[in-house]
Amino acid sequence: MNAHDNPAAFLDTLKRPAAGGTPVTVAFGDGIGPEIMQASLKILVAAGARLAFEPIDIGERVYLSGNTAGIAPEAWDSLRRTKVFYKAPITTPQGGGFKSLNVTVRKTLGLYANVRPCTAYAPFIATKHPLMDVVIVRENEEDLYAGIEHRQTDEVVQCLKIISRPGCEKIARYAFEYARAHGRKKVTCFTKDNIMKLTDGLFHKVFDEIGVEYPELEKEHWIVDIGAAKLADNPGQFDLIVMPNLYGDILSDVAAEIAGSVGLAGSANIGEHCAMFEAIHGSAPRRAGQDLANPSGLLLGGVQMLVHVGQADVAERVHNAWLKTIEDGVHTYDIFTEGVSTKKVGTQAFAAEVIARLGQRPTTLRAADYAARPTMRLPTWTRKPGAKKEIVGIDVFVHAPGVDADALAATMKQGMFGPYDLTMITNRGVKVWPGGLPETFCTDHWRCRYMAEPGKPLHHAMIAELLGRLAKKGVDFIKTEHLCTFDGEPGYSLGQGQ
Ligand code: NAD
């Protein structure tokens, strides 16, 4: 029975426990998805997984039926009921208008932590880093992936980088708890807080705050650029790395690839209510339908799922049989190396080889050991009382092609009427008034900063009045940002050169 044509009928062919088992929503996906899901489910069931599968349809077919989200409403009902999602990769159709299903599912279900163990399997799988064993914990909901983008002028578009304190607290707590539960000794944080002092600065600050509660763990922070270089060159110096969304997206692929292959890594997406398990790679359409693809990434995602639903015994059985298969040199094409590998197999034959080794353990590679792990303590996030907030200024962003900064300043001053002053104009963040340099290239997108007199905070009505006056002067303002203090601390950055 082919999982691609009829997932429900394929599931009926699996010899599962007659009744009971943890309900799990399953999507067979696109491209190589159905083949690797079929192989993975056969192994999980043969190992004795106590799971009750509910198939849903997501991905290319749903997109092309006119659903721009790629997931039908009934699929959400299943996900909200089972709270556990085992998902094969899907294809996002080319062209505009289709929203990323992965991002939608992660954000809608609040799956804030993406956990990607990246392990080398030397000498059985070729790698430049034979001792590599790093877990990447990626924040999964925020950052530039909030997807809030605007074209503001002829020349300028923007994407908002949203970082929240709840988001930082949840991911930092998760990283430390994961390290403690999985016997990791060191937790490293990557950010770019030398440049993004408020957004990445908050991520780093919360990492330090929560880290205090884990005195037994070594903690360190690297600026992401040099951290990434060190990870690529010498991954053995890292144990667990926690990062904001974009850096984590990029560097977890780098880490998986240098460990051996992107085809080997599984991924868990964990939320307060639900969780999703998958391979890190995509649907590899060119390999589809040929029984070639390596099911290992999805299978190891399934191992993480078994641990999550409290079936550590089965997770260990599956993982150890898989390690033994790799160690015996039974490899799919992507990891096959002449002289090291002993047998080249296709997707379903690989599954059969793993099943034949259930109950065995690796002899050279380190065996998996999930049974004795302490439970992670992940309290539900609770809101704290807010700070005292005062509006001490406003940035008015203006669309003005080909103007001189002095002339723009004169126009912007005409709108003023209260105890505040125009203090600065920047272009792409660089101060161009007062005292700009003629060498600075200016676009048609300007930020004009008004600051209140000390002790005389602005209020919303004054800002509305200012904008009304600017509109009457014909100023094409495109957005405003309030400059606030929180318990006296400035909540805004300075202009470069200010
Ligand atoms: P990809 O990961 O699908 O494939 C890249 C290459 O890696 C393949 O050509 C193949 O050579 C190799 N590869 C990947 N997985 C393999 C496996 N299991 N076994 C053997 N070789 C494997 O990346 P892509 O080609 O950039 O994307 C293809 C589609 O997948 C796109 O539509 C993309 O949007 C989608 N995608 C989906 C997910 C997901 O569902 N989680 C993630 C990434 C990409």
Side-chain angles (χ1 to χ4, degrees):
M1 178 53 63
N2 190 323
H4 189 268
D5 301 329
N6 193 339
F10 164 71
L11 289 174
D12 285 342
T13 66
L14 295 176
K15 291 191 176 49
R16 285 174 287 151
T22 306
V24 169
T25 302
V26 175
F28 286 78
D30 302 314
I32 58 171
E35 298 158 60
I36 60 173
M37 181 57 88
Q38 189 166 334
S40 299
L41 290 181
K42 280 191 215 160
I43 298 168
L44 299 188
V45 169
R50 301 172 291 280
L51 303 172
F53 304 113
E54 284 191 23
I56 59 167
D57 202 12
I58 57 165
E60 202 171 17
R61 261 190 309 202
V62 183
Y63 279 118
L64 296 177
S65 74
N67 181 322
T68 54
I71 178 164
E74 353 21 300
W76 289 113
D77 297 339
S78 171
L79 289 170
R80 295 184 64 212
R81 187 170 52 248
T82 67
K83 304 189 189 318
V84 184
F85 188 14
Y86 193 30
K87 179 186 146 296
I90 58 132
T91 301
T92 310
Q94 298 286 321
F98 300 110
K99 297 294 281 183
S100 161
L101 173 73
N102 292 317
V103 176
T104 302
V105 171
R106 285 172 195 156
K107 290 172 65 161
T108 307
L109 298 180
L111 309 181
Y112 64 88
N114 184 204
V115 185
R116 295 181 171 191
C118 300
T119 311
Y121 304 99
F124 307 103
I125 296 177
T127 171
K128 295 190 185 80
H129 307 289
L131 300 179
M132 180 171 179
D133 179 18
V134 179
V135 178
I136 308 281
V137 176
R138 161 190 171 194
E139 197 290 318
N140 218 12
E141 295 182 280
E142 307 197 330
D143 199 350
L144 293 155
Y145 292 68
I148 306 175
E149 295 191 296
H150 302 96
R151 178 171 174 180
Q152 297 184 319
T153 67
D154 289 316
E155 294 164 9
V156 173
V157 288
Q158 74 164 15
C159 175
L160 292 186
K161 177 169 165 113
I162 307 272
I163 301 279
S164 74
R165 179 167 267 278
C168 293
E169 288 185 2
K170 286 198 283 186
I171 196 67
R173 168 87 49 210
Y174 191 90
F176 286 116
E177 282 292 321
Y178 185 97
R180 182 179 268 175
H182 291 77
R184 301 267 160 183
K185 303 280 179 271
K186 181 163 84 169
V187 180
T188 305
C189 175
F190 282 1
T191 72
K192 188 79 183 170
D193 66 343
N194 53 334
I195 302 295
M196 286 162 278
K197 296 187 165 65
L198 286 181
T199 48
D200 282 23
L202 179 63
F203 196 95
H204 185 178
K205 183 173 163 190
V206 170
F207 171 81
D208 288 345
E209 281 172 16
I210 293 188
V212 171
E213 297 175 39
Y214 299 83
E216 79 281 16
L217 296 174
E218 189 186 337
K219 284 147 287 228
E220 63 176 13
H221 172 266
W222 287 93
I223 298 296
V224 62
D225 38 11
I226 185 63
K230 299 237 173 244
L231 174 67
D233 184 50
N234 180 17
Q237 68 181 281
F238 297 105
D239 198 356
L240 182 151
I241 313 176
V242 59
M243 310 180 225
N245 204 342
L246 179 63
Y247 315 140
D249 189 3
I250 298 167
L251 292 181
S252 59
D253 270 27
V254 172
E257 185 68 13
I258 65 173
S261 161
V262 282
L264 291 175
S267 154
N269 299 267
I270 308 287
E272 286 182 358
H273 310 288
C274 302
M276 174 170 82
F277 302 87
E278 56 184 346
I280 75 161
H281 60 75
S283 58
R286 280 181 303 139
R287 308 284 178 199
Q290 299 159 59
D291 191 40
L292 280 175
N294 187 347
S296 298
L298 188 60
L299 181 68
L300 294 181
V303 167
Q304 288 176 290
M305 176 174 74
L306 288 169
V307 175
H308 176 81
V309 300
Q311 298 184 29
D313 53 336
V314 190
E316 210 169 287
R317 235 168 107 71
V318 172
H319 201 161
N320 283 330
W322 178 82
L323 287 165
K324 183 78 172 87
T325 309
I326 294 297
E327 215 177 68
D328 287 348
V330 180
H331 295 165
T332 43
Y333 83 93
D334 56 315
I335 53 171
F336 187 88
T337 310
E338 213 64 61
V340 177
S341 308
T342 56
K343 190 172 177 186
K344 192 188 264 184
V345 288
T347 314
Q348 304 312 322
F350 183 82
E353 296 275 356
V354 176
I355 290 169
R357 288 168 177 78
L358 286 168
Q360 297 183 36
R361 293 165 69 83
T363 46
T364 306
L365 295 169
R366 200 178 70 214
D369 166 22
Y370 294 108
R373 300 230 162 122
T375 317
M376 291 168 65
R377 292 176 304 114
L378 297 166
T380 304
W381 188 84
T382 47
R383 180 160 285 113
K384 295 161 198 72
K388 179 169 185 276
K389 181 170 119 176
E390 284 186 335
I391 306 175
V392 298
I394 180 168
D395 280 345
V396 179
F397 290 77
V398 171
H399 180 182
V403 296
D404 168 83
D406 288 332
L408 179 63
T411 306
M412 298 306 284
K413 274 182 173 275
Q414 285 176 21
M416 289 168 31
F417 65 97
Y420 58 87
D421 201 359
L422 182 73
T423 58
M424 173 182 78
I425 297 179
T426 67
N427 197 290
R428 291 188 297 174
V430 179
K431 184 168 72 94
V432 291
W433 181 93
L437 296 180
E439 288 80 6
T440 306
F441 178 79
C442 290
T443 67
D444 60 358
H445 182 275
W446 308 80
R447 184 256 304 258
C448 305
R449 174 164 289 186
Y450 298 90
M451 293 300 296
E453 286 177 17
K456 295 182 182 165
L458 301 178
H459 48 80
H460 292 83
M462 291 169 77
I463 292 170
E465 170 78 25
L466 169 66
L467 294 180
R469 288 170 180 238
L470 291 175
K472 284 199 186 108
K473 297 281 169 206
V475 174
D476 182 6
F477 54 83
I478 47 180
K479 77 161 190 172
T480 58
E481 292 282 355
H482 295 180
L483 309 178
C484 299
T485 57
F486 291 81
D487 288 340
E489 283 280 313
Y492 49 90
S493 59
L494 300 178
Q496 276 152 21
Q498 192 183 8

